[in-house]
Amino acid sequence: MKRARPAPAHIERAVRAFWSEALRDPLLPPDQAALASVDRWRQDADLPYALLHGPRTSRHAAFAAHLLRPRGRSRALDAHLVPVGPDTRLERDLVVLLAARLQRDLAGSSVRTLLGNLAWECLGQGRDETSPPLLVAITDVDEAEPTVRWPALFTGIGAGVKVMATVEGDETAAQAWIDRLGFDPARTLVHALPSRHDPAWEGLLGFLNGKTADGKETQAARLLGLLACAWGRLSADDIARGLGRPADLLLAEVAPWVAEVEGTYAFRQSAYRREVEARLDPEARGTWVGRLLELSPAGYPCEYGCVHRLALRAPVAAFAPLVTQDHLTRWMQRPLDGLGFVSDLERVRGRAATSLGQGADAEALGLAVRATLAEASYHGMARRPRRRAPVGVQELDRKRTLADHRAQSTALLALGRAIAPGPGRTEVLQAALDAARRIPVAEERAFAIHALASAWEDDSAERRALAREVVDAYRGVPQAAWNLLAAAPLLPPEEGMALAHEALAAAQAAGEDPGDLALFAGELPRPVAEALWSVAASFPMPSRARALAALAARIGDPDRVRAAFDVVSAYLESGSDDAFDGKPLHLRVLAPRLDLDQAGRALRFAAAFGDLGRDALQALVLRLIELGEPACALLPKLRDEEERLGVLARTLAFPSTPDRGRLRAELLDALGASTSAPRTHGERFGLFFQVAPPLAAAGATDALVAVAETFDQRARFAALLSLAQHDAIRAPELARHALSLGLALPPEDAPRLLHLVPLAPHLPRAGAAQVLARLLDDAASDLRSAALAGDSVSLEKLVPLLASLAGDQGLVAAAREVQRVAAWFP
């Protein structure tokens, strides 16, 4: 078996200190009896979880250490202790410690990455069947700060895994921790531990109750207050700075409760710390935290400054220094290097999202975007270190350029388009143009500028200038004839017509199929489409039929439609073998424009194509029903029941459709029968998504929601989203229902929340902010180019949600952060 990577030195030091302190006193007879009870739990396969609890003096952490100590040497049980205490109180430290004990050969660059691997490979269903039984004991979980995400780790543990946790308090307090830890209540042993006599504890109580002659707190008591507020160990110099006086004599005075380990100081037991902390009033606690944050920025405040700000509920502006080059530089000089920095970024995003949930805040949105792109940039530059480097440690290659100018331009364009006309929109679109012009590949640069040109107002000088820049760029790129045609709509009509003619001539000269004009016809201005008619009429067959059909559909004139259909019909009747590569796309394009006689003839042609004519057949059947043909005569032309019902549902939108109430009832009956019958997953839900949109638009939403309630969580979420998009009146209610389902999905399903983005105006602010936080976390886990404008979660796709939460000012702030991070990580 491969050896696990070690944890960083300060975490290993904390574990050694814990063992030394926990095992220095032997277990007493009452402890031995409790140990025997818990030992029986270890043999019970039906109880994978255990929660041990007791009063502050029970020393439950020491009990857990004794439980694991003799078995840690045996190959029959893989036992690991994860003590929560100084230097291991934050999620990043605990996850790193678990990864170091359980994982094999994993560096990891974020807490999310390590959590996912631990949950599946080490604790969940991905465990090696040959592995020995595993016991993980986590002590003093109530010492961990509030944002630790335990449930993601322990909810789905696999066979042979046992997890034990210890907490302070009675059974009621212990029961409250079961859900938070992700334990199954029905499979959890809850066991009380006895109180222990501890002379040092009694001495601490007496010391804390003592005062100076004038009733003031002693300097040594003040030292304990400082240590009680510290999340990690402090050096003697840090203590002296915090107290404003030398600490040597004071440290000697508190030695029964404070231990020195490698030049750093912390309480010997969490019970001592918690007792001192409980006696501090809010003012004193705030004073000590302020002193801790005033220490050297490269020391304690670097590692714990973020969690202190969270605990203090500091304003969003207080978190901005944590998303800077200086903060990254400080982290890269510490044992957890980039992992600590990324962990801070995750917390900053969460804090910013909370602020957004409470009100419009451009500053919070900008900070959330900066934290997202900074993390994604870090992932792009991080490298795996040497093989035996500690878990979570990665080198940073600042010489590696990211240079994602195209993704930057795409994201900035999406942001700029959503901003109302004015200085803010102009600023963002100009930034998008600057990024586009830095794209090194000529054709990609032209594509980006082309996309930008369409964002300016029609007939504006900026639009015309960019269009001409695009055309000049395309002319310098080989085989760019169709790109030139795509640029024609950007130009004034006369220039557009000239460019379209030039493009078609270039395509024919290059030996390309001129019928590909069909791919662009739908985007051409009508005057340009009309000007190309005569050119298309001169193409050889079948290119002529393809091009004329597309142009006729774009122009919409009945005479042009008739002429195009005559050409298409003549070609199909000729019996030519190629027949448009076997796909009658020309018929599908023309279908919505055909009259009754033409549609009937086209239907016969489409039927001859078999499965390849399926789309055309549907479109033509729908057109004939729209024109008054009875559905009962036409639907048998379709080959599949789901297809027939889908077309029938779409006829609800036609004024000529008789007895809509009866038709709705028939469709709902068919839908109910299809979802209750034994079918595959795809078959079961396929019909719903065929018929639900038109049924919802026709007022059948209540019945559709009832059907959706029989689906699993993911399908129900998708169904409600579909209904919300087609029932304008019920959209707010359906969107809120879908929101609750979406937020309950597991972390790996975060990209599914993208489907909520179009419904952002209907979401409650707090819920929309939660969605944004989940999606930004997902984007941050990718590389920066993907986080900006990738196929999955990206800033480009989140624009409607950003606009809903923070308006135009927020969009401008987000755009500025795109530029800021690009300059930070060039």
Side-chain angles (χ1 to χ4, degrees):
M1 181 183 292
K2 293 181 180 179
R3 293 178 60 195
R5 288 173 176 262
H10 71 294
I11 294 178
E12 296 289 355
R13 175 192 67 192
V15 175
R16 289 194 304 271
F18 173 86
W19 277 105
S20 174
E21 187 65 31
L23 299 177
R24 69 175 183 163
D25 294 330
L27 292 182
L28 302 176
D31 301 319
Q32 296 288 355
L35 186 65
S37 298
V38 178
D39 197 47
R40 287 193 293 272
W41 160 78
R42 191 173 64 83
Q43 308 300 326
D44 190 340
D46 294 330
L47 293 174
Y49 304 105
L51 197 61
L52 311 184
H53 66 93
R56 191 165 288 174
T57 56
S58 63
R59 292 213 58 202
H60 39 273
F63 180 90
H66 279 279
L67 178 68
L68 264 66
R69 187 184 187 191
R71 295 168 177 79
R73 303 169 183 170
S74 171
R75 293 186 178 181
L77 178 69
D78 190 12
H80 297 285
L81 186 70
V82 181
V84 179
D87 289 338
T88 55
R89 290 175 66 185
L90 306 186
E91 181 176 43
R92 61 174 192 246
D93 309 308
L94 294 167
V95 169
V96 163
L97 177 55
L98 273 168
R101 297 296 185 261
L102 305 180
Q103 191 56 274
R104 302 293 181 265
D105 195 28
L106 175 71
S109 58
S110 73
V111 170
R112 287 191 307 275
T113 300
L114 293 175
L115 272 172
N117 281 278
L118 288 169
W120 171 253
E121 295 179 32
C122 300
L123 298 171
Q125 304 306 313
R127 272 174 52 82
D128 188 340
E129 294 180 358
T130 65
S131 299
L134 171 66
L135 171 59
V136 177
I138 305 175
T139 71
D140 296 308
V141 295
D142 36 5
E143 275 285 277
E145 54 97 7
T147 57
V148 172
R149 293 168 288 185
W150 294 116
L153 204 53
F154 301 128
T155 299
I157 60 173
V161 178
K162 309 281 278 188
V163 181
M164 181 181 74
T166 71
V167 299
E168 177 190 310
D170 58 15
E171 184 171 351
T172 301
Q175 291 285 349
W177 273 93
I178 290 179
D179 286 341
R180 184 169 176 203
L181 290 170
F183 290 4
D184 180 349
R187 300 195 299 156
T188 301
L189 169 72
V190 179
H191 188 80
L193 296 178
S195 178
R196 302 188 66 199
H197 174 68
D198 181 0
W201 173 260
E202 295 175 357
L204 176 64
L205 297 181
F207 180 85
L208 294 175
N209 291 329
K211 302 286 184 179
T212 61
D214 58 1
K216 294 182 179 180
E217 186 179 42
T218 66
Q219 288 297 324
R222 296 179 71 245
L223 183 152
L224 293 180
L226 176 67
L227 289 175
C229 292
W231 286 97
R233 296 179 180 274
L234 296 177
S235 68
D237 287 343
D238 284 341
I239 294 172
R241 291 190 187 95
L243 293 175
R245 58 176 298 160
D248 293 348
L249 294 178
L250 299 177
L251 287 167
E253 189 175 345
V254 298
W257 315 291
V258 173
E260 183 270 337
V261 178
E262 298 181 14
T264 63
Y265 296 85
F267 283 96
R268 293 183 182 275
Q269 299 178 28
S270 65
Y272 300 158
R273 191 203 68 79
R274 291 166 75 85
E275 182 65 27
V276 174
E277 184 185 41
R279 292 169 177 255
L280 294 174
D281 60 51
E283 183 179 356
R285 187 178 292 111
T287 297
W288 293 129
V289 171
R291 297 282 182 87
L292 291 168
L293 294 179
E294 290 170 358
L295 296 175
S296 171
Y300 181 91
C302 174
E303 193 153 358
Y304 300 101
C306 188
V307 291
H308 277 303
R309 287 174 172 86
L310 287 173
L312 292 171
R313 294 187 174 88
V316 170
F319 291 83
L322 305 180
V323 194
T324 61
Q325 295 190 59
D326 288 343
H327 193 57
L328 173 59
T329 299
R330 288 191 286 265
W331 263 117
M332 295 307 293
Q333 297 168 353
R334 299 188 66 78
L336 276 177
D337 62 40
L339 182 67
F341 177 66
V342 168
S343 181
D344 278 357
L345 296 182
E346 293 176 15
R347 297 180 190 284
V348 170
R349 277 196 304 277
R351 175 65 183 86
T354 299
S355 178
L356 284 168
Q358 297 167 348
D361 190 338
E363 181 181 27
L365 180 58
L367 188 59
V369 169
R370 190 198 315 173
T372 300
L373 298 181
E375 182 178 340
S377 302
Y378 171 85
H379 294 322
M381 289 185 168
R383 302 183 303 179
R384 285 178 66 103
R386 62 189 184 279
R387 187 171 181 80
R388 292 296 301 154
V391 168
V393 173
Q394 287 188 314
E395 298 171 356
L396 192 62
D397 184 1
R398 292 306 298 261
K399 295 180 180 178
R400 179 179 179 181
T401 58
L402 301 183
D404 44 15
H405 302 303
R406 184 172 185 180
Q408 292 173 39
S409 179
T410 301
L412 289 167
L413 171 58
L415 291 164
R417 281 184 183 277
I419 300 172
R425 177 186 174 97
T426 300
E427 174 192 335
V428 175
L429 291 179
Q430 184 60 51
L433 180 58
D434 293 341
R437 285 173 173 159
R438 291 195 296 272
I439 299 173
V441 180
E443 189 169 18
E444 292 184 2
R445 183 167 61 250
F447 285 152
I449 299 174
H450 185 162
L452 273 159
S454 61
W456 264 270
E457 295 180 6
D458 292 345
D459 299 327
S460 66
E462 293 86 357
R463 181 186 178 103
R464 289 194 298 271
L466 287 177
R468 290 166 186 143
E469 182 178 346
V470 168
V471 170
D472 290 343
Y474 282 147
R475 284 180 176 139
V477 176
Q479 299 179 330
W482 297 118
N483 295 336
L484 288 171
L485 181 61
L490 300 174
L491 293 166
E494 291 186 2
E495 288 184 64
M497 291 178 195
L499 183 62
H501 283 286
E502 177 188 339
L504 286 177
Q508 290 175 291
E512 299 183 34
D513 180 3
D516 284 347
L517 166 63
L519 303 175
F520 302 90
E523 302 298 324
L524 295 174
R526 180 168 174 169
V528 175
E530 290 174 336
L532 294 178
W533 181 269
S534 60
V535 179
S538 67
F539 292 166
M541 297 294 283
S543 298
R544 184 193 317 161
R546 288 180 61 208
L548 289 179
L551 289 172
R554 173 67 185 93
I555 297 168
D557 178 71
D559 292 337
R560 298 290 175 90
V561 172
R562 187 179 305 109
F565 184 70
D566 288 344
V567 172
V568 170
S569 300
Y571 181 69
L572 293 177
E573 289 170 343
S574 70
S576 175
D577 291 335
D578 55 9
F580 309 110
D581 299 322
K583 290 186 178 181
L585 301 178
H586 45 292
L587 294 179
R588 179 175 57 79
V589 169
L590 277 174
R593 300 289 191 178
L594 298 179
D595 62 23
L596 189 61
D597 177 64
Q598 293 164 346
R601 291 174 59 199
L603 187 68
R604 293 191 291 275
F605 289 135
F609 282 88
D611 285 342
L612 295 175
R614 185 172 180 171
D615 290 345
L617 204 64
Q618 282 194 46
L620 288 164
V621 167
L622 200 62
R623 176 60 174 165
L624 283 164
I625 295 174
E626 184 181 16
L627 294 171
E629 289 294 289
C632 58
L634 291 170
L635 291 179
K637 300 284 186 183
L638 304 175
R639 298 169 179 81
D640 177 82
E641 179 66 14
E642 184 177 300
E643 186 180 5
R644 286 194 289 271
L645 291 171
V647 169
L648 192 58
R650 289 158 67 188
T651 67
L652 287 168
F654 299 155
S656 59
T657 298
D659 197 358
R660 284 185 178 76
R662 180 186 57 79
L663 178 55
R664 281 199 303 270
E666 289 179 4
L667 289 167
L668 289 169
D669 287 344
L671 183 58
S674 74
T675 55
S676 60
R679 289 182 168 213
T680 66
H681 182 91
E683 289 173 338
R684 188 179 181 209
F685 305 130
L687 179 60
F688 182 92
F689 292 104
Q690 280 261 19
V691 304
L695 278 172
T701 297
D702 284 339
L704 292 167
V705 169
V707 172
E709 289 299 322
T710 67
F711 297 167
D712 64 28
Q713 185 180 13
R714 291 185 179 93
R716 189 160 71 253
F717 173 66
L720 291 172
L721 290 172
S722 177
L723 297 178
Q725 291 167 354
H726 292 90
D727 186 336
I729 296 175
R730 300 283 297 282
E733 169 199 346
L734 293 166
R736 289 192 294 271
H737 191 175
L739 171 68
S740 63
L741 287 173
L743 292 176
L745 291 172
E748 60 269 21
D749 281 338
R752 294 177 186 268
L753 297 180
L754 279 173
H755 298 296
L756 283 166
V757 170
L759 299 172
H762 301 308
L763 301 178
R765 171 169 285 278
Q770 287 180 273
V771 170
L772 179 63
R774 291 273 298 273
L775 290 171
L776 288 180
D777 269 350
D778 193 84
S781 68
D782 214 327
L783 301 180
R784 190 176 71 196
S785 59
L788 284 166
D791 293 332
S792 186
V793 180
S794 67
L795 189 62
E796 176 193 15
K797 295 179 181 177
L798 296 180
V799 168
L801 184 57
L802 306 183
S804 177
L805 284 167
D808 285 353
Q809 289 185 337
L811 296 177
V812 173
R816 289 171 179 166
E817 295 301 343
V818 171
Q819 300 169 76
R820 181 199 299 262
V821 177
W824 178 4
F825 291 94

